[in-house]
mmCIF file with all atom_site columns, all heavy atoms in Angstrom:
data_model
loop_
_atom_site.group_PDB
_atom_site.id
_atom_site.type_symbol
_atom_site.label_atom_id
_atom_site.label_alt_id
_atom_site.label_comp_id
_atom_site.label_asym_id
_atom_site.label_entity_id
_atom_site.label_seq_id
_atom_site.pdbx_PDB_ins_code
_atom_site.Cartn_x
_atom_site.Cartn_y
_atom_site.Cartn_z
_atom_site.occupancy
_atom_site.B_iso_or_equiv
_atom_site.pdbx_formal_charge
_atom_site.auth_seq_id
_atom_site.auth_comp_id
_atom_site.auth_asym_id
_atom_site.auth_atom_id
_atom_site.pdbx_PDB_model_num
ATOM 1   N N   . LYS A 1 1  ? 7.555  0.557  12.214  1.00 0.00 ? 1  LYS A N   1
ATOM 2   C CA  . LYS A 1 1  ? 7.227  1.809  11.505  1.00 0.00 ? 1  LYS A CA  1
ATOM 3   C C   . LYS A 1 1  ? 8.346  2.213  10.549  1.00 0.00 ? 1  LYS A C   1
ATOM 4   O O   . LYS A 1 1  ? 8.085  2.697  9.455   1.00 0.00 ? 1  LYS A O   1
ATOM 5   C CB  . LYS A 1 1  ? 6.980  2.949  12.511  1.00 0.00 ? 1  LYS A CB  1
ATOM 6   C CG  . LYS A 1 1  ? 5.611  2.920  13.107  1.00 0.00 ? 1  LYS A CG  1
ATOM 7   C CD  . LYS A 1 1  ? 4.662  3.570  12.160  1.00 0.00 ? 1  LYS A CD  1
ATOM 8   C CE  . LYS A 1 1  ? 3.359  3.869  12.851  1.00 0.00 ? 1  LYS A CE  1
ATOM 9   N NZ  . LYS A 1 1  ? 2.289  4.025  11.890  1.00 0.00 ? 1  LYS A NZ  1
ATOM 10  N N   . VAL A 1 2  ? 9.588  2.008  10.976  1.00 0.00 ? 2  VAL A N   1
ATOM 11  C CA  . VAL A 1 2  ? 10.718 2.405  10.136  1.00 0.00 ? 2  VAL A CA  1
ATOM 12  C C   . VAL A 1 2  ? 10.761 1.551  8.866   1.00 0.00 ? 2  VAL A C   1
ATOM 13  O O   . VAL A 1 2  ? 11.134 2.039  7.806   1.00 0.00 ? 2  VAL A O   1
ATOM 14  C CB  . VAL A 1 2  ? 12.059 2.358  10.916  1.00 0.00 ? 2  VAL A CB  1
ATOM 15  C CG1 . VAL A 1 2  ? 12.466 0.942  11.285  1.00 0.00 ? 2  VAL A CG1 1
ATOM 16  C CG2 . VAL A 1 2  ? 13.168 3.056  10.130  1.00 0.00 ? 2  VAL A CG2 1
ATOM 17  N N   . TYR A 1 3  ? 10.366 0.303  8.956   1.00 0.00 ? 3  TYR A N   1
ATOM 18  C CA  . TYR A 1 3  ? 10.299 -0.553 7.771   1.00 0.00 ? 3  TYR A CA  1
ATOM 19  C C   . TYR A 1 3  ? 9.202  -0.039 6.833   1.00 0.00 ? 3  TYR A C   1
ATOM 20  O O   . TYR A 1 3  ? 9.414  0.075  5.622   1.00 0.00 ? 3  TYR A O   1
ATOM 21  C CB  . TYR A 1 3  ? 10.038 -2.007 8.170   1.00 0.00 ? 3  TYR A CB  1
ATOM 22  C CG  . TYR A 1 3  ? 9.861  -2.920 6.983   1.00 0.00 ? 3  TYR A CG  1
ATOM 23  C CD1 . TYR A 1 3  ? 10.965 -3.409 6.285   1.00 0.00 ? 3  TYR A CD1 1
ATOM 24  C CD2 . TYR A 1 3  ? 8.588  -3.286 6.550   1.00 0.00 ? 3  TYR A CD2 1
ATOM 25  C CE1 . TYR A 1 3  ? 10.797 -4.231 5.174   1.00 0.00 ? 3  TYR A CE1 1
ATOM 26  C CE2 . TYR A 1 3  ? 8.422  -4.109 5.449   1.00 0.00 ? 3  TYR A CE2 1
ATOM 27  C CZ  . TYR A 1 3  ? 9.523  -4.582 4.768   1.00 0.00 ? 3  TYR A CZ  1
ATOM 28  O OH  . TYR A 1 3  ? 9.349  -5.391 3.672   1.00 0.00 ? 3  TYR A OH  1
ATOM 29  N N   . GLU A 1 4  ? 8.039  0.267  7.385   1.00 0.00 ? 4  GLU A N   1
ATOM 30  C CA  . GLU A 1 4  ? 6.940  0.799  6.575   1.00 0.00 ? 4  GLU A CA  1
ATOM 31  C C   . GLU A 1 4  ? 7.355  2.082  5.867   1.00 0.00 ? 4  GLU A C   1
ATOM 32  O O   . GLU A 1 4  ? 7.100  2.263  4.672   1.00 0.00 ? 4  GLU A O   1
ATOM 33  C CB  . GLU A 1 4  ? 5.709  1.063  7.440   1.00 0.00 ? 4  GLU A CB  1
ATOM 34  C CG  . GLU A 1 4  ? 5.026  -0.176 7.955   1.00 0.00 ? 4  GLU A CG  1
ATOM 35  C CD  . GLU A 1 4  ? 3.867  0.147  8.898   1.00 0.00 ? 4  GLU A CD  1
ATOM 36  O OE1 . GLU A 1 4  ? 3.340  1.288  8.858   1.00 0.00 ? 4  GLU A OE1 1
ATOM 37  O OE2 . GLU A 1 4  ? 3.496  -0.742 9.673   1.00 0.00 ? 4  GLU A OE2 1
ATOM 38  N N   . MET A 1 5  ? 8.006  2.978  6.607   1.00 0.00 ? 5  MET A N   1
ATOM 39  C CA  . MET A 1 5  ? 8.435  4.236  6.014   1.00 0.00 ? 5  MET A CA  1
ATOM 40  C C   . MET A 1 5  ? 9.515  3.986  4.957   1.00 0.00 ? 5  MET A C   1
ATOM 41  O O   . MET A 1 5  ? 9.517  4.640  3.903   1.00 0.00 ? 5  MET A O   1
ATOM 42  C CB  . MET A 1 5  ? 8.958  5.191  7.078   1.00 0.00 ? 5  MET A CB  1
ATOM 43  C CG  . MET A 1 5  ? 9.335  6.525  6.521   1.00 0.00 ? 5  MET A CG  1
ATOM 44  S SD  . MET A 1 5  ? 9.377  7.785  7.762   1.00 0.00 ? 5  MET A SD  1
ATOM 45  C CE  . MET A 1 5  ? 9.363  9.212  6.710   1.00 0.00 ? 5  MET A CE  1
ATOM 46  N N   . GLY A 1 6  ? 10.399 3.034  5.225   1.00 0.00 ? 6  GLY A N   1
ATOM 47  C CA  . GLY A 1 6  ? 11.427 2.680  4.254   1.00 0.00 ? 6  GLY A CA  1
ATOM 48  C C   . GLY A 1 6  ? 10.824 2.155  2.962   1.00 0.00 ? 6  GLY A C   1
ATOM 49  O O   . GLY A 1 6  ? 11.279 2.488  1.865   1.00 0.00 ? 6  GLY A O   1
ATOM 50  N N   . MET A 1 7  ? 9.771  1.346  3.081   1.00 0.00 ? 7  MET A N   1
ATOM 51  C CA  . MET A 1 7  ? 9.102  0.823  1.894   1.00 0.00 ? 7  MET A CA  1
ATOM 52  C C   . MET A 1 7  ? 8.448  1.950  1.083   1.00 0.00 ? 7  MET A C   1
ATOM 53  O O   . MET A 1 7  ? 8.511  1.952  -0.145  1.00 0.00 ? 7  MET A O   1
ATOM 54  C CB  . MET A 1 7  ? 8.058  -0.233 2.284   1.00 0.00 ? 7  MET A CB  1
ATOM 55  C CG  . MET A 1 7  ? 8.664  -1.535 2.769   1.00 0.00 ? 7  MET A CG  1
ATOM 56  S SD  . MET A 1 7  ? 9.658  -2.379 1.514   1.00 0.00 ? 7  MET A SD  1
ATOM 57  C CE  . MET A 1 7  ? 8.377  -2.922 0.394   1.00 0.00 ? 7  MET A CE  1
ATOM 58  N N   . GLU A 1 8  ? 7.858  2.907  1.763   1.00 0.00 ? 8  GLU A N   1
ATOM 59  C CA  . GLU A 1 8  ? 7.276  4.061  1.072   1.00 0.00 ? 8  GLU A CA  1
ATOM 60  C C   . GLU A 1 8  ? 8.369  4.866  0.363   1.00 0.00 ? 8  GLU A C   1
ATOM 61  O O   . GLU A 1 8  ? 8.194  5.315  -0.770  1.00 0.00 ? 8  GLU A O   1
ATOM 62  C CB  . GLU A 1 8  ? 6.526  4.955  2.065   1.00 0.00 ? 8  GLU A CB  1
ATOM 63  C CG  . GLU A 1 8  ? 5.249  4.348  2.590   1.00 0.00 ? 8  GLU A CG  1
ATOM 64  C CD  . GLU A 1 8  ? 4.609  5.172  3.704   1.00 0.00 ? 8  GLU A CD  1
ATOM 65  O OE1 . GLU A 1 8  ? 4.962  6.370  3.858   1.00 0.00 ? 8  GLU A OE1 1
ATOM 66  O OE2 . GLU A 1 8  ? 3.772  4.605  4.421   1.00 0.00 ? 8  GLU A OE2 1
ATOM 67  N N   . PHE A 1 9  ? 9.499  5.012  1.049   1.00 0.00 ? 9  PHE A N   1
ATOM 68  C CA  . PHE A 1 9  ? 10.637 5.738  0.482   1.00 0.00 ? 9  PHE A CA  1
ATOM 69  C C   . PHE A 1 9  ? 11.145 5.035  -0.781  1.00 0.00 ? 9  PHE A C   1
ATOM 70  O O   . PHE A 1 9  ? 11.396 5.677  -1.798  1.00 0.00 ? 9  PHE A O   1
ATOM 71  C CB  . PHE A 1 9  ? 11.752 5.864  1.525   1.00 0.00 ? 9  PHE A CB  1
ATOM 72  C CG  . PHE A 1 9  ? 12.960 6.621  1.057   1.00 0.00 ? 9  PHE A CG  1
ATOM 73  C CD1 . PHE A 1 9  ? 12.917 7.990  0.862   1.00 0.00 ? 9  PHE A CD1 1
ATOM 74  C CD2 . PHE A 1 9  ? 14.155 5.958  0.821   1.00 0.00 ? 9  PHE A CD2 1
ATOM 75  C CE1 . PHE A 1 9  ? 14.028 8.693  0.429   1.00 0.00 ? 9  PHE A CE1 1
ATOM 76  C CE2 . PHE A 1 9  ? 15.274 6.646  0.381   1.00 0.00 ? 9  PHE A CE2 1
ATOM 77  C CZ  . PHE A 1 9  ? 15.217 8.015  0.188   1.00 0.00 ? 9  PHE A CZ  1
ATOM 78  N N   . VAL A 1 10 ? 11.268 3.711  -0.735  1.00 0.00 ? 10 VAL A N   1
ATOM 79  C CA  . VAL A 1 10 ? 11.713 2.946  -1.900  1.00 0.00 ? 10 VAL A CA  1
ATOM 80  C C   . VAL A 1 10 ? 10.766 3.209  -3.079  1.00 0.00 ? 10 VAL A C   1
ATOM 81  O O   . VAL A 1 10 ? 11.218 3.429  -4.208  1.00 0.00 ? 10 VAL A O   1
ATOM 82  C CB  . VAL A 1 10 ? 11.790 1.432  -1.593  1.00 0.00 ? 10 VAL A CB  1
ATOM 83  C CG1 . VAL A 1 10 ? 11.964 0.617  -2.865  1.00 0.00 ? 10 VAL A CG1 1
ATOM 84  C CG2 . VAL A 1 10 ? 12.927 1.138  -0.632  1.00 0.00 ? 10 VAL A CG2 1
ATOM 85  N N   . GLY A 1 11 ? 9.478  3.200  -2.823  1.00 0.00 ? 11 GLY A N   1
ATOM 86  C CA  . GLY A 1 11 ? 8.507  3.474  -3.884  1.00 0.00 ? 11 GLY A CA  1
ATOM 87  C C   . GLY A 1 11 ? 8.704  4.842  -4.499  1.00 0.00 ? 11 GLY A C   1
ATOM 88  O O   . GLY A 1 11 ? 8.648  4.997  -5.730  1.00 0.00 ? 11 GLY A O   1
ATOM 89  N N   . LYS A 1 12 ? 8.946  5.843  -3.655  1.00 0.00 ? 12 LYS A N   1
ATOM 90  C CA  . LYS A 1 12 ? 9.179  7.202  -4.157  1.00 0.00 ? 12 LYS A CA  1
ATOM 91  C C   . LYS A 1 12 ? 10.452 7.263  -4.993  1.00 0.00 ? 12 LYS A C   1
ATOM 92  O O   . LYS A 1 12 ? 10.488 7.914  -6.043  1.00 0.00 ? 12 LYS A O   1
ATOM 93  C CB  . LYS A 1 12 ? 9.280  8.188  -2.995  1.00 0.00 ? 12 LYS A CB  1
ATOM 94  C CG  . LYS A 1 12 ? 7.976  8.426  -2.265  1.00 0.00 ? 12 LYS A CG  1
ATOM 95  C CD  . LYS A 1 12 ? 8.197  9.350  -1.071  1.00 0.00 ? 12 LYS A CD  1
ATOM 96  C CE  . LYS A 1 12 ? 6.956  9.536  -0.239  1.00 0.00 ? 12 LYS A CE  1
ATOM 97  N NZ  . LYS A 1 12 ? 7.204  10.397 0.943   1.00 0.00 ? 12 LYS A NZ  1
ATOM 98  N N   . ILE A 1 13 ? 11.495 6.590  -4.516  1.00 0.00 ? 13 ILE A N   1
ATOM 99  C CA  . ILE A 1 13 ? 12.777 6.588  -5.231  1.00 0.00 ? 13 ILE A CA  1
ATOM 100 C C   . ILE A 1 13 ? 12.630 5.905  -6.591  1.00 0.00 ? 13 ILE A C   1
ATOM 101 O O   . ILE A 1 13 ? 13.132 6.388  -7.602  1.00 0.00 ? 13 ILE A O   1
ATOM 102 C CB  . ILE A 1 13 ? 13.885 5.913  -4.387  1.00 0.00 ? 13 ILE A CB  1
ATOM 103 C CG1 . ILE A 1 13 ? 14.231 6.767  -3.166  1.00 0.00 ? 13 ILE A CG1 1
ATOM 104 C CG2 . ILE A 1 13 ? 15.127 5.611  -5.227  1.00 0.00 ? 13 ILE A CG2 1
ATOM 105 C CD1 . ILE A 1 13 ? 14.737 8.165  -3.473  1.00 0.00 ? 13 ILE A CD1 1
ATOM 106 N N   . PHE A 1 14 ? 11.926 4.781  -6.622  1.00 0.00 ? 14 PHE A N   1
ATOM 107 C CA  . PHE A 1 14 ? 11.716 4.097  -7.902  1.00 0.00 ? 14 PHE A CA  1
ATOM 108 C C   . PHE A 1 14 ? 10.958 4.998  -8.880  1.00 0.00 ? 14 PHE A C   1
ATOM 109 O O   . PHE A 1 14 ? 11.280 5.033  -10.066 1.00 0.00 ? 14 PHE A O   1
ATOM 110 C CB  . PHE A 1 14 ? 10.985 2.770  -7.693  1.00 0.00 ? 14 PHE A CB  1
ATOM 111 C CG  . PHE A 1 14 ? 11.923 1.621  -7.452  1.00 0.00 ? 14 PHE A CG  1
ATOM 112 C CD1 . PHE A 1 14 ? 12.779 1.601  -6.356  1.00 0.00 ? 14 PHE A CD1 1
ATOM 113 C CD2 . PHE A 1 14 ? 11.951 0.552  -8.313  1.00 0.00 ? 14 PHE A CD2 1
ATOM 114 C CE1 . PHE A 1 14 ? 13.650 0.543  -6.136  1.00 0.00 ? 14 PHE A CE1 1
ATOM 115 C CE2 . PHE A 1 14 ? 12.816 -0.517 -8.101  1.00 0.00 ? 14 PHE A CE2 1
ATOM 116 C CZ  . PHE A 1 14 ? 13.663 -0.517 -7.020  1.00 0.00 ? 14 PHE A CZ  1
ATOM 117 N N   . LYS A 1 15 ? 9.982  5.713  -8.376  1.00 0.00 ? 15 LYS A N   1
ATOM 118 C CA  . LYS A 1 15 ? 9.211  6.615  -9.241  1.00 0.00 ? 15 LYS A CA  1
ATOM 119 C C   . LYS A 1 15 ? 10.099 7.734  -9.790  1.00 0.00 ? 15 LYS A C   1
ATOM 120 O O   . LYS A 1 15 ? 10.082 8.025  -10.982 1.00 0.00 ? 15 LYS A O   1
ATOM 121 C CB  . LYS A 1 15 ? 8.033  7.205  -8.471  1.00 0.00 ? 15 LYS A CB  1
ATOM 122 C CG  . LYS A 1 15 ? 7.141  8.068  -9.323  1.00 0.00 ? 15 LYS A CG  1
ATOM 123 C CD  . LYS A 1 15 ? 5.941  8.577  -8.560  1.00 0.00 ? 15 LYS A CD  1
ATOM 124 C CE  . LYS A 1 15 ? 5.061  9.364  -9.509  1.00 0.00 ? 15 LYS A CE  1
ATOM 125 N NZ  . LYS A 1 15 ? 4.580  10.575 -9.003  1.00 0.00 ? 15 LYS A NZ  1
ATOM 126 N N   . VAL A 1 16 ? 10.880 8.350  -8.909  1.00 0.00 ? 16 VAL A N   1
ATOM 127 C CA  . VAL A 1 16 ? 11.762 9.454  -9.310  1.00 0.00 ? 16 VAL A CA  1
ATOM 128 C C   . VAL A 1 16 ? 12.815 8.971  -10.299 1.00 0.00 ? 16 VAL A C   1
ATOM 129 O O   . VAL A 1 16 ? 13.066 9.630  -11.312 1.00 0.00 ? 16 VAL A O   1
ATOM 130 C CB  . VAL A 1 16 ? 12.439 10.089 -8.065  1.00 0.00 ? 16 VAL A CB  1
ATOM 131 C CG1 . VAL A 1 16 ? 13.624 10.936 -8.441  1.00 0.00 ? 16 VAL A CG1 1
ATOM 132 C CG2 . VAL A 1 16 ? 11.430 10.918 -7.290  1.00 0.00 ? 16 VAL A CG2 1
ATOM 133 N N   . THR A 1 17 ? 13.435 7.839  -10.025 1.00 0.00 ? 17 THR A N   1
ATOM 134 C CA  . THR A 1 17 ? 14.523 7.382  -10.897 1.00 0.00 ? 17 THR A CA  1
ATOM 135 C C   . THR A 1 17 ? 14.008 6.854  -12.232 1.00 0.00 ? 17 THR A C   1
ATOM 136 O O   . THR A 1 17 ? 14.732 6.879  -13.225 1.00 0.00 ? 17 THR A O   1
ATOM 137 C CB  . THR A 1 17 ? 15.391 6.310  -10.202 1.00 0.00 ? 17 THR A CB  1
ATOM 138 O OG1 . THR A 1 17 ? 14.579 5.212  -9.795  1.00 0.00 ? 17 THR A OG1 1
ATOM 139 C CG2 . THR A 1 17 ? 16.112 6.899  -9.003  1.00 0.00 ? 17 THR A CG2 1
ATOM 140 N N   . LYS A 1 18 ? 12.768 6.398  -12.267 1.00 0.00 ? 18 LYS A N   1
ATOM 141 C CA  . LYS A 1 18 ? 12.176 5.929  -13.528 1.00 0.00 ? 18 LYS A CA  1
ATOM 142 C C   . LYS A 1 18 ? 12.035 7.090  -14.509 1.00 0.00 ? 18 LYS A C   1
ATOM 143 O O   . LYS A 1 18 ? 12.093 6.898  -15.726 1.00 0.00 ? 18 LYS A O   1
ATOM 144 C CB  . LYS A 1 18 ? 10.792 5.321  -13.252 1.00 0.00 ? 18 LYS A CB  1
ATOM 145 C CG  . LYS A 1 18 ? 10.212 4.579  -14.440 1.00 0.00 ? 18 LYS A CG  1
ATOM 146 C CD  . LYS A 1 18 ? 8.811  4.096  -14.162 1.00 0.00 ? 18 LYS A CD  1
ATOM 147 C CE  . LYS A 1 18 ? 8.802  3.031  -13.089 1.00 0.00 ? 18 LYS A CE  1
ATOM 148 N NZ  . LYS A 1 18 ? 7.456  2.452  -12.880 1.00 0.00 ? 18 LYS A NZ  1
ATOM 149 N N   . GLU A 1 19 ? 11.892 8.295  -13.982 1.00 0.00 ? 19 GLU A N   1
ATOM 150 C CA  . GLU A 1 19 ? 11.702 9.481  -14.814 1.00 0.00 ? 19 GLU A CA  1
ATOM 151 C C   . GLU A 1 19 ? 13.014 10.088 -15.311 1.00 0.00 ? 19 GLU A C   1
ATOM 152 O O   . GLU A 1 19 ? 13.004 11.008 -16.114 1.00 0.00 ? 19 GLU A O   1
ATOM 153 C CB  . GLU A 1 19 ? 10.893 10.524 -14.040 1.00 0.00 ? 19 GLU A CB  1
ATOM 154 C CG  . GLU A 1 19 ? 9.484  10.063 -13.714 1.00 0.00 ? 19 GLU A CG  1
ATOM 155 C CD  . GLU A 1 19 ? 8.751  10.956 -12.726 1.00 0.00 ? 19 GLU A CD  1
ATOM 156 O OE1 . GLU A 1 19 ? 9.331  11.972 -12.283 1.00 0.00 ? 19 GLU A OE1 1
ATOM 157 O OE2 . GLU A 1 19 ? 7.606  10.619 -12.401 1.00 0.00 ? 19 GLU A OE2 1
ATOM 158 N N   . LEU A 1 20 ? 14.141 9.564  -14.833 1.00 0.00 ? 20 LEU A N   1
ATOM 159 C CA  . LEU A 1 20 ? 15.438 10.091 -15.259 1.00 0.00 ? 20 LEU A CA  1
ATOM 160 C C   . LEU A 1 20 ? 15.739 9.656  -16.689 1.00 0.00 ? 20 LEU A C   1
ATOM 161 O O   . LEU A 1 20 ? 15.278 8.616  -17.147 1.00 0.00 ? 20 LEU A O   1
ATOM 162 C CB  . LEU A 1 20 ? 16.551 9.578  -14.344 1.00 0.00 ? 20 LEU A CB  1
ATOM 163 C CG  . LEU A 1 20 ? 16.506 10.003 -12.876 1.00 0.00 ? 20 LEU A CG  1
ATOM 164 C CD1 . LEU A 1 20 ? 17.614 9.310  -12.093 1.00 0.00 ? 20 LEU A CD1 1
ATOM 165 C CD2 . LEU A 1 20 ? 16.621 11.517 -12.742 1.00 0.00 ? 20 LEU A CD2 1
ATOM 166 N N   . THR A 1 21 ? 16.559 10.447 -17.369 1.00 0.00 ? 21 THR A N   1
ATOM 167 C CA  . THR A 1 21 ? 16.998 10.052 -18.706 1.00 0.00 ? 21 THR A CA  1
ATOM 168 C C   . THR A 1 21 ? 17.880 8.813  -18.584 1.00 0.00 ? 21 THR A C   1
ATOM 169 O O   . THR A 1 21 ? 18.423 8.517  -17.511 1.00 0.00 ? 21 THR A O   1
ATOM 170 C CB  . THR A 1 21 ? 17.804 11.186 -19.374 1.00 0.00 ? 21 THR A CB  1
ATOM 171 O OG1 . THR A 1 21 ? 18.983 11.425 -18.597 1.00 0.00 ? 21 THR A OG1 1
ATOM 172 C CG2 . THR A 1 21 ? 16.991 12.455 -19.510 1.00 0.00 ? 21 THR A CG2 1
ATOM 173 N N   . ALA A 1 22 ? 18.052 8.107  -19.679 1.00 0.00 ? 22 ALA A N   1
ATOM 174 C CA  . ALA A 1 22 ? 18.818 6.856  -19.673 1.00 0.00 ? 22 ALA A CA  1
ATOM 175 C C   . ALA A 1 22 ? 20.217 7.044  -19.102 1.00 0.00 ? 22 ALA A C   1
ATOM 176 O O   . ALA A 1 22 ? 20.714 6.192  -18.358 1.00 0.00 ? 22 ALA A O   1
ATOM 177 C CB  . ALA A 1 22 ? 18.887 6.281  -21.082 1.00 0.00 ? 22 ALA A CB  1
ATOM 178 N N   . THR A 1 23 ? 20.857 8.154  -19.411 1.00 0.00 ? 23 THR A N   1
ATOM 179 C CA  . THR A 1 23 ? 22.210 8.406  -18.925 1.00 0.00 ? 23 THR A CA  1
ATOM 180 C C   . THR A 1 23 ? 22.259 8.387  -17.401 1.00 0.00 ? 23 THR A C   1
ATOM 181 O O   . THR A 1 23 ? 23.140 7.767  -16.815 1.00 0.00 ? 23 THR A O   1
ATOM 182 C CB  . THR A 1 23 ? 22.710 9.785  -19.417 1.00 0.00 ? 23 THR A CB  1
ATOM 183 O OG1 . THR A 1 23 ? 22.634 9.809  -20.831 1.00 0.00 ? 23 THR A OG1 1
ATOM 184 C CG2 . THR A 1 23 ? 24.125 10.050 -18.961 1.00 0.00 ? 23 THR A CG2 1
ATOM 185 N N   . TYR A 1 24 ? 21.316 9.048  -16.768 1.00 0.00 ? 24 TYR A N   1
ATOM 186 C CA  . TYR A 1 24 ? 21.305 9.132  -15.308 1.00 0.00 ? 24 TYR A CA  1
ATOM 187 C C   . TYR A 1 24 ? 20.637 7.923  -14.665 1.00 0.00 ? 24 TYR A C   1
ATOM 188 O O   . TYR A 1 24 ? 20.938 7.571  -13.537 1.00 0.00 ? 24 TYR A O   1
ATOM 189 C CB  . TYR A 1 24 ? 20.604 10.407 -14.853 1.00 0.00 ? 24 TYR A CB  1
ATOM 190 C CG  . TYR A 1 24 ? 21.405 11.647 -15.182 1.00 0.00 ? 24 TYR A CG  1
ATOM 191 C CD1 . TYR A 1 24 ? 21.100 12.426 -16.284 1.00 0.00 ? 24 TYR A CD1 1
ATOM 192 C CD2 . TYR A 1 24 ? 22.477 12.020 -14.391 1.00 0.00 ? 24 TYR A CD2 1
ATOM 193 C CE1 . TYR A 1 24 ? 21.835 13.553 -16.591 1.00 0.00 ? 24 TYR A CE1 1
ATOM 194 C CE2 . TYR A 1 24 ? 23.232 13.146 -14.690 1.00 0.00 ? 24 TYR A CE2 1
ATOM 195 C CZ  . TYR A 1 24 ? 22.910 13.909 -15.795 1.00 0.00 ? 24 TYR A CZ  1
ATOM 196 O OH  . TYR A 1 24 ? 23.649 15.016 -16.093 1.00 0.00 ? 24 TYR A OH  1
ATOM 197 N N   . GLN A 1 25 ? 19.721 7.279  -15.393 1.00 0.00 ? 25 GLN A N   1
ATOM 198 C CA  . GLN A 1 25 ? 18.996 6.146  -14.839 1.00 0.00 ? 25 GLN A CA  1
ATOM 199 C C   . GLN A 1 25 ? 19.942 5.001  -14.502 1.00 0.00 ? 25 GLN A C   1
ATOM 200 O O   . GLN A 1 25 ? 19.746 4.302  -13.523 1.00 0.00 ? 25 GLN A O   1
ATOM 201 C CB  . GLN A 1 25 ? 17.933 5.678  -15.835 1.00 0.00 ? 25 GLN A CB  1
ATOM 202 C CG  . GLN A 1 25 ? 16.682 5.206  -15.154 1.00 0.00 ? 25 GLN A CG  1
ATOM 203 C CD  . GLN A 1 25 ? 15.624 4.833  -16.153 1.00 0.00 ? 25 GLN A CD  1
ATOM 204 O OE1 . GLN A 1 25 ? 15.796 3.836  -16.831 1.00 0.00 ? 25 GLN A OE1 1
ATOM 205 N NE2 . GLN A 1 25 ? 14.578 5.621  -16.239 1.00 0.00 ? 25 GLN A NE2 1
ATOM 206 N N   . PHE A 1 26 ? 20.960 4.803  -15.315 1.00 0.00 ? 26 PHE A N   1
ATOM 207 C CA  . PHE A 1 26 ? 21.858 3.670  -15.109 1.00 0.00 ? 26 PHE A CA  1
ATOM 208 C C   . PHE A 1 26 ? 23.113 4.048  -14.334 1.00 0.00 ? 26 PHE A C   1
ATOM 209 O O   . PHE A 1 26 ? 23.966 3.205  -14.131 1.00 0.00 ? 26 PHE A O   1
ATOM 210 C CB  . PHE A 1 26 ? 22.211 3.027  -16.447 1.00 0.00 ? 26 PHE A CB  1
ATOM 211 C CG  . PHE A 1 26 ? 20.995 2.445  -17.106 1.00 0.00 ? 26 PHE A CG  1
ATOM 212 C CD1 . PHE A 1 26 ? 20.461 3.036  -18.231 1.00 0.00 ? 26 PHE A CD1 1
ATOM 213 C CD2 . PHE A 1 26 ? 20.364 1.343  -16.566 1.00 0.00 ? 26 PHE A CD2 1
ATOM 214 C CE1 . PHE A 1 26 ? 19.322 2.525  -18.836 1.00 0.00 ? 26 PHE A CE1 1
ATOM 215 C CE2 . PHE A 1 26 ? 19.223 0.816  -17.153 1.00 0.00 ? 26 PHE A CE2 1
ATOM 216 C CZ  . PHE A 1 26 ? 18.699 1.406  -18.296 1.00 0.00 ? 26 PHE A CZ  1
#
């Protein structure tokens, strides 16, 4: 379950960080 939840978390993080401006994205 912790792996499944971790994978969901990674997806959320990728979505959030994709929306950051270039300065913060990198």
Side-chain angles (χ1 to χ4, degrees):
K1 280 278 194 201
V2 68
Y3 176 80
E4 290 176 21
M5 183 159 196
M7 289 297 289
E8 289 173 17
F9 181 71
V10 168
K12 291 176 185 178
I13 291 300
F14 271 61
K15 184 177 183 224
V16 164
T17 57
K18 191 185 293 185
E19 296 169 1
L20 296 175
T21 63
T23 303
Y24 291 100
Q25 216 176 70
F26 296 109

